[in-house]
Amino acid sequence: MTLATLSPTDTRAAIDAGARLIDIRGADEHARERIPGAMNVPLDRIGDLPRDDRPVVFHCKSGMRTAANAAQLGAATGGAPAYILGGGIDAWRQAGQPTVADRSQPLEIMRQVQITAGGLVLIGVLLGAFVTPGFFGLSAFIGAGLMFAGVTGWCGMASLLRVMPWNRRTAA
């Protein structure tokens, strides 16, 4: 099933006409920046979407997640008309539409994983080159962990970062 894609301008018109805007990103992403009035229903909980007859417009960060999961999203509406905000919140912002940004919220978990993994790989390479080659093992370990996360969908680093003190204040 494919869902029709709406531009930010068409999405604004649909919302003004009564459509619901559903943000399928994780709670951490939604807490950091969101479209005013958007309801956060993460993709892994889309089955919990309250159903009514109003049209639904789904959005994510760039439109990739919504497009890749169109069939699942369309089924979650219970037959109500469903659309995708083309380009996600990035396109919404670029079109000059308002967003609510709370920079006091922590960075999204996946960005934290990317920063941490990149830093550890860099440290491992530098220590391996300038101290002792044994430190290359750190880079190999991080690389293996990232491959495992990609294959299984479970990321130990993300799980660890989620319980860090700075991430406990993320709005639900």
Side-chain angles (χ1 to χ4, degrees):
M1 167 187 240
T2 59
L3 300 180
T5 301
L6 299 178
S7 69
T9 303
D10 292 338
T11 298
R12 167 58 38 206
I15 293 167
D16 291 344
R20 296 182 294 160
L21 183 62
I22 306 297
D23 183 349
I24 67 163
R25 300 174 302 150
D28 57 333
E29 294 174 276
H30 182 79
R32 186 129 169 112
E33 183 178 25
R34 63 194 167 280
I35 296 172
M39 177 184 201
N40 183 227
V41 182
L43 186 57
D44 62 347
R45 292 192 359 242
I46 203 66
D48 299 338
L49 179 68
R51 295 182 181 199
D52 64 29
D53 294 335
R54 293 185 301 159
V56 178
V57 181
F58 294 101
H59 86 84
C60 61
K61 181 179 182 337
S62 67
M64 298 289 288
R65 270 180 276 187
T66 50
N69 294 284
Q72 182 183 1
L73 297 172
T77 65
Y83 306 93
I84 293 173
L85 169 56
I89 194 171
D90 290 344
W92 179 269
R93 189 182 331 96
Q94 288 173 351
Q97 297 290 341
T99 63
V100 176
D102 183 354
R103 300 297 178 217
S104 70
Q105 292 294 324
L107 290 174
E108 298 86 356
I109 293 296
M110 289 317 298
R111 284 186 61 195
Q112 291 182 43
V113 167
Q114 292 166 339
I115 292 166
T116 304
L120 289 171
V121 167
L122 180 61
I123 288 169
V125 168
L126 291 174
L127 289 174
F130 296 114
V131 177
T132 181
F135 281 109
F136 287 126
L138 173 62
S139 298
F141 177 75
I142 298 300
L146 291 172
M147 287 179 58
F148 179 81
V151 170
T152 66
W154 182 83
C155 180
M157 189 179 294
S159 298
L160 179 63
L161 287 168
R162 255 187 212 99
V163 298
M164 290 291 121
W166 59 86
N167 286 322
R168 292 189 187 145
R169 62 190 172 143
T170 300

